Structure formats: C-alpha cells, structure tokens
Amino acid sequence: MSTHIGAKKGDIADKILLPGDPLRAKYIAENFLEDVTCYNEVRGMYGYTGTYKGERISVQGTGMGVPSISIYVNELIQEYDVQKLIRVGTCGAIQKDVKVRDVILAQSSTSDSQMNRMVFGGIDFAPTANFDLLKDAYDTGVEKGLKLRVGNVFTSDSFYRDNGLELFEKLANYQVLAVEMEATALYTIAAKYNRQALAVLTVSDHILTGEETSAEERQTTFNDMIEVALDAAIK
Ligand SMILES: O=P(O)(O)O[C@H]1O[C@H](CO)[C@@H](O)[C@H]1O
Ligand SMILES: O=c1cc[nH]c(=O)[nH]1
C-alpha cells in the first residue's frame, strides 16, 4: 500500500476517474462498473476497481483542494503506475451563457495556488489537459448529443473568499468558464510524469445568478459527465 491508499500493486487499473467526493466514487462504482472490488477505505476516501464495457477501470475519491488531490495523484502515478487520469468534478459557472448542469471540459487551468510557483520559481507554468484525452472526451460528448463547453477554468484555493465577485468578473472577462479547486494540480503532476489527464466538470451552481443543485444531486445525478469520462477513458 502507499501512504494514503490501501491497495496492493495491481489492484488499481491504468485508467482512473477522480471525483472529489468519495461518495461519488461509490456511486460511479455501483451504477456504472461491473465486477467491482473496493481497494481503499483509508480516511474514507473510497477507491474501486471494476470493468466498464469490458475494460478494467478504477475510480478514486481525491478530497477537496490542491493539497488533497496532489497526494492521491502522486501516489496513483508513482506507486500504482496509473496512465490516464480523469477528474469528474463539480464547478461554479462564472459565464452568463454557462448553465447549471452543463458539462465543461477543462482545456487549461488558471489558479491562485502557489503550487506551480513553488516548483517553477518565477515562471507561470500553464497547466493543460492532454489533447488526445480532451479530443476523445469531446468526440464522446458529440456522439451523445451533448453540448459540451471547452475552455479555461479557475482552480481556486478558497471556496469562500472576500471580494470573490470582483475576481470572478475579471476572470469571466478573460473567458474563464467556471471555478473549481483541483484541476491545476492534476494537470501539473500528470505533465511531470508524462501521463494523460483531463478534468470533466458539471456545473453545480452559478456564481452570478445564485442558481444551484442540491447536495444529493451533486452526489448522484451527474451521469452525463460520468459517461463522457468513462467512454473517453476507454477510447
Ligand atoms: O465536486 P468536487 O469534485 O469535490 O469538486 C468541487 O467541489 C468542491 C467544493 O465544494 C471542490 O472539491 C470543487 O473542486
Ligand atoms: O469549487 C467550486 C465548486 C463548485 N462550485 C463553486 O462555486 N466552487
């Protein structure tokens, strides 16, 4: 086992979905995968391996924020040699024409996290999704008749912030679509180890209009996002 994942080598597939919420991992395993085994319960951060359309695939909760997802992504890559990592998360929209329940493919991530500044000194690294995975996810969405949004997202270190609206308006003016809390870390760590990564996000609330989904909906009803991620993972 690794420090935070109680799995043996070989228990985790080379493709993995990464929801922030461990109960979303359980939901995905129970509703989309076959022949499922639970390989991790450490810290309640459930991890499962099963099959989807005959292909072996895992799903692992990551917790919220850059430090938490960084722990899981580092261990999944370094200890379990995972190759393809797809975050399936929620986000808050900041563009007027992005609606609650829309699905976003995060092409890139802007962030207030210090993670990359610590790694690169004064240089602003540009965390970017893997193009092949992004294209596979986009094509999957088109096949399903979904109108996916593709663009830059803001990975925030704060869920609650003073003067948030001012910042979000500025980011929206620069075409950033939505706010979440993990993509920048996923993209940077995947780049370091030359692995494929993508964040697929469902809009759970609209920061400008105040419209939102319930906690139960966040946990269970994001099936479009999950199917796009699963089908892209096995393409
Ligand atoms: O629904 P998840 O995947 O946790 O993603 C979003 O929800 C959490 C905040 O409520 C943050 O982790 C944010 O990135
Ligand atoms: O990080 C997040 C996730 C969902 N909604 C938000 O407003 N922020």
Side-chain angles (χ1 to χ4, degrees), residues 90-122:
T90 60
C91 63
I94 57 173
Q95 291 288 343
K96 289 196 182 76
D97 66 345
V98 175
K99 309 289 181 211
V100 169
R101 294 180 199 79
D102 278 358
V103 178
I104 294 176
L105 305 180
Q107 184 174 16
S108 53
S109 163
T110 295
S111 186
D112 60 357
S113 162
Q114 288 300 302
M115 175 185 165
N116 292 334
R117 295 231 163 130
M118 287 192 293
V119 174
F120 294 100

Side-chain angles (χ1 to χ4, degrees), residues 90-92 159 179-181 204-205 207 218:
T90 60
C91 63
F159 186 86
V179 183
E180 58 86 68
M181 298 177 70
S204 58
D205 53 282
I207 288 173
R218 280 171 210 224

Side-chain angles (χ1 to χ4, degrees), residues 23-87:
L23 293 181
R24 197 179 310 137
K26 186 168 188 276
Y27 174 79
I28 293 168
E30 288 175 351
N31 292 282
F32 291 86
L33 305 188
E34 293 174 351
D35 303 321
V36 173
T37 53
C38 178
Y39 64 74
N40 190 52
E41 290 188 346
V42 176
R43 290 177 179 254
M45 204 61 79
Y46 298 123
Y48 303 86
T49 298
T51 59
Y52 177 72
K53 298 185 178 174
E55 295 258 355
R56 197 159 177 266
I57 191 158
S58 297
V59 52
Q60 169 69 56
T62 65
M64 291 183 276
V66 163
S68 188
I69 193 173
S70 297
I71 286 173
Y72 291 98
V73 170
N74 268 297
E75 292 183 19
L76 289 167
I77 292 175
Q78 293 183 52
E79 306 285 339
Y80 300 99
D81 202 23
V82 176
Q83 300 292 324
K84 213 182 252 194
L85 305 100
I86 306 181
R87 166 164 155 70

